[in-house]
Every structure is written in C-alpha cells, then in structure tokens.
C-alpha cells in the first residue's frame, strides 16, 4: 500500500530538518510517495500568499502531512493547515533523553491540547484606539471530542489516567465547561482523572514532573505549558508534535525557523525525525516507529550531536547516524 505524504518544509531550518525526516522515512520498508509543496514567508514574498491553495488542498487530501516551520507568517500557515487535516487535538510529548543535559531528566509526559478553539479561534476586534477585545470560544462538542480521544489514548498506551489542567476558578463559564465536559466523558469511559489549575501546574511540573503523565488542556494552556516542559528536557529542538483529525493528521517539530542558524546545515533534526516517527505510528506501523525512536535516542545519547546539544555535528551527520542505527 502506498501512502501519500505531503511534505511542506516552510522557512528557515524547516528547509533542512524536513528533508532529514523524509530521508529517515525512506530508509524504512514502507511505500511512501512524497509530494512537496510550499508555504511560509518566502512564498508570501514571492506570491502574496503564505499558504497557496494548492498546498492547502494537498494537505487536505494526503494520507498525512510533514511540516517544517514558518516564520512571521506562522499563524497564516499552521492554523489553516491544521484545519485542512481536520485536527482537533495536538499531541506534544515532552521527554528527557539519556545523555542530554536536562533540567529535569526524569520528565516524561504528554500534552493533549484542544486544537480548534479557545483564544485561537480568531475573534479579535479593535473597538477604539484604546480598546481591543478577544472572544474566547469553548464548546462542549470540541471538549468532548478531545476527552474521548484522551480516554482512548490512555487506554491504548496503558496509562493510569490523565490530568485535566484548566483555570476554571477564574474563567468559570469557558474553562468550567471544558473541565466539566472532560471529567464527565472520563467518568463515562471509566478513566481516572485529577485536575490542576494551570498556574499551579506550571509550578508543580518544574518541581516534580514525575507526578504528571498525560495532561489534557485547552488550546492556549497546552501551547504555553508544553513549551515550559520543553525547557525541562533540553529545549524545543527535542519536541515533536502531531495534529490529529478523524481521517488525517499533520506532524511538525515544535521549534521555529531558527533564522540565526538557517542555511548553515547545523540544525538539530531530532524533533522533525521524532515527528516523522509519530507519523509512521499514526499510519499503523508501530514497530517501525519504535525503531526510529530507538535510533534517535541512541544517537542523542552516544552522538553525533549538533551544537545546541554541545556537539559539532551537522544536520546531515546526525541524520546519517540515525539511519545507520535503523
């Protein structure tokens, strides 16, 4: 069976780490057809639009999409791409790897973030020169869809349950609806949950990350708190992510375009390669996904490493080492 994969490198180091990820995928005994498309700052400068219609349509029809990074046009690129694949949940693992100088080497958790609404729904207005407003949208249906996914996720991966992170003590109607809906669904599934206020979570995860496993949270909270967790494990260069819908999904490293090193061939490809492993697992190839993850972990521990991890290897060196270990 051939799997059509949309490949959208984007800007900056996306042009370097995305090919690294596809090189790893090509080393597997899986029939992939890679179709590359453009998006991002350079495309907008050349054409006037950051996300061409043909790129959107490709992501909407491909079996899965592998995305790199976007610069100033990030909101104009990634939000529509998530819409193209019908994504309702963003999966962000934050895991410390052996051999990496992490603030909290015991960290190993997964964020399941609502991916369609909250303050990212796009309802902003400038009423006067002095007043601007932002409407936060939370629905029972989207909260339920996320909760059902979370229940299936912890059951499949044999977790004990999950933690609901929210701010319902202040945002009583919106986060209150989110918390109550997620807790209700978990009760229906027989899944154990606990809950933590998002500001308290920010403190607790730094002091004792082992108390958390799977974290279910609204859109903005998931964005901010997963970046906080990145600081515990060695930085954004190690975090992958998946944007999952009912029929399609998009996979991307959490890091940005890193313009200070773009074009130098020294970007760390680990997050993009682990994102590719999540893509492989999404398509049903669990053993191959595990093999990629094991190869990346061995490379992170034993080298070669890029400069952000204290080494002097190139992107190509690290990619070749991962492929050799496969």
């Amino acid at each position: 069976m051939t799997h059509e994969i949309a490949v959208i490198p984007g800007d900056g180091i996306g042009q370097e780490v995305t090919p690294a990820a596809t090189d790893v995928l090509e080393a597997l005994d899986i029939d992939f057809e890679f179709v590359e498309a453009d998006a991002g700052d350079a495309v907008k400068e050349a054409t006037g639009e950051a996300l061409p219609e043909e790129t959107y349509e490709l992501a909407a029809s491909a079996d899965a999409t592998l995305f790199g990074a976007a610069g100033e046009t990030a909101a104009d690129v990634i939000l529509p791409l998530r819409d193209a694949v019908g994504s309702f949940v963003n999966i962000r693992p934050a895991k410390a790897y052996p051999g990496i100088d992490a603030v909290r080497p015991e960290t190993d958790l997964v964020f399941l973030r609502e991916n369609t609404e909250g303050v990212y729904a796009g309802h902003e207005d400038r009423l006067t020169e002095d007043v601007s407003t932002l409407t936060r949208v939370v629905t029972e249906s989207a909260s339920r869809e996320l909760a059902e996914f979370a229940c299936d996720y912890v059951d499949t991966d044999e977790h004990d349950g999950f933690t609901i992170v929210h701010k319902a003590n202040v945002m009583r109607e919106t986060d209150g609806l989110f918390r109550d809906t997620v807790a209700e669904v978990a009760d229906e599934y027989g899944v154990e949950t606990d809950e933590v206020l998002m500001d308290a979570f920010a403190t607790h995860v730094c002091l004792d990350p082992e108390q958390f496993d799977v974290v279910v949270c609204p859109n903005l909270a998931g964005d901010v708190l997963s970046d906080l967790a990145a600081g515990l494990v060695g930085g954004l260069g190690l975090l992958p992510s998946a944007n999952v819908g009912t029929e399609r999904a998009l996979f991307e490293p959490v890091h940005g375009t890193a313009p200070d090193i773009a074009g130098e061939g020294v970007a760390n490809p680990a997050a993009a390669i682990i994102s590719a492993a999540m893509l492989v697992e999404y398509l049903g190839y669990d053993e191959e996904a595990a093999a990629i993850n094991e190869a990346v972990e061995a490379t992170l521990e034993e080298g070669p490493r890029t400069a952000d991890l204290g080494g002097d290897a190139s992107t190509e060196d690290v990619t070749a080492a991962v492929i050799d270990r496969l």
Side-chain angles (χ1 to χ4, degrees):
M1 179 181 180
T2 301
H3 301 284
E4 183 181 70
I5 308 299
V7 180
I8 309 172
D11 299 312
I13 63 170
Q15 293 284 335
E16 301 164 58
V17 299
T18 309
T22 57
D23 285 348
V24 172
L25 292 179
E26 287 181 329
L28 302 175
D29 189 21
I30 301 174
D31 190 4
F32 290 117
E33 178 186 356
F34 298 107
V35 183
E36 188 165 324
D38 296 323
D41 297 356
V43 178
K44 184 174 183 178
E45 185 175 348
T47 68
E49 55 182 357
L51 184 68
E53 181 65 24
E54 56 266 30
T55 302
Y56 181 95
E57 293 300 331
L58 174 62
S61 62
D63 295 315
T65 297
L66 190 61
F67 176 69
E72 294 297 323
T73 58
D76 300 319
V77 174
I78 192 58
L79 295 181
L81 283 177
R82 289 172 179 169
D83 175 73
V85 301
S87 170
F88 62 87
V89 57
N90 179 260
I91 308 172
R92 286 192 179 184
K95 176 182 178 181
Y97 293 98
I100 301 302
D101 185 17
V103 174
R104 289 293 185 184
E106 69 272 28
T107 305
D108 187 0
L109 56 130
V110 177
F111 291 88
L112 302 181
R113 163 191 169 198
E114 201 288 318
N115 215 24
T116 65
E117 49 187 30
V119 295
Y120 290 177
H123 303 298
E124 286 190 276
D125 290 292
R126 174 61 67 91
L127 301 184
T128 70
E129 289 187 4
D130 185 52
V131 179
S132 60
T133 64
L134 171 63
T135 300
R136 186 169 192 263
V137 178
V138 174
T139 64
E140 181 179 356
S141 55
S143 301
R144 173 168 284 273
E145 189 170 35
L146 172 65
E148 290 173 346
F149 180 92
C151 290
D152 289 336
Y153 184 91
V154 297
D155 180 61
T156 301
D157 283 10
E158 298 180 353
H159 298 275
D160 292 333
F162 58 79
T163 300
I164 308 169
V165 174
H166 61 82
K167 193 64 177 171
N169 62 327
V170 175
M171 296 179 285
R172 296 174 182 173
E173 292 301 323
T174 50
D175 265 25
L177 176 61
F178 176 84
R179 176 200 60 193
D180 294 346
T181 302
V182 174
E184 178 182 334
V185 171
D187 185 61
E188 292 171 3
Y189 276 70
V191 172
E192 293 185 8
T193 65
D194 60 351
E195 59 180 86
V196 182
L197 295 175
M198 65 176 70
D199 46 353
F201 176 88
T203 298
H204 296 325
V205 75
C206 293
L207 296 175
D208 181 18
E210 285 186 296
Q211 66 184 289
F212 301 109
D213 181 15
V214 177
V215 179
V216 177
C217 48
N219 204 337
L220 176 62
D223 192 1
V224 174
L225 294 174
S226 61
D227 277 16
L228 171 66
L232 303 180
V233 302
L236 290 174
L238 296 172
L239 262 64
S241 73
N243 302 278
V244 176
T246 55
E247 296 182 4
R248 290 175 177 81
L250 179 148
F251 302 84
E252 56 173 325
V254 176
H255 63 66
T257 58
D260 56 323
I261 61 169
E264 297 181 9
V266 296
N268 184 353
I273 295 173
I274 302 169
S275 297
M278 296 178 76
L279 182 154
V280 170
E281 183 178 17
Y282 169 78
L283 293 175
Y285 299 96
D286 294 350
E287 291 184 7
E288 289 84 349
I292 295 175
N293 285 324
E294 289 170 7
V296 171
E297 290 190 25
T299 302
L300 289 172
E301 182 174 10
E302 301 169 15
R305 299 175 184 159
T306 46
D308 60 310
L309 299 179
D312 58 3
S314 67
T315 306
E316 185 176 344
D317 293 336
V318 174
T319 305
V322 171
I323 293 173
D324 285 344
R325 288 184 166 99
L326 276 175

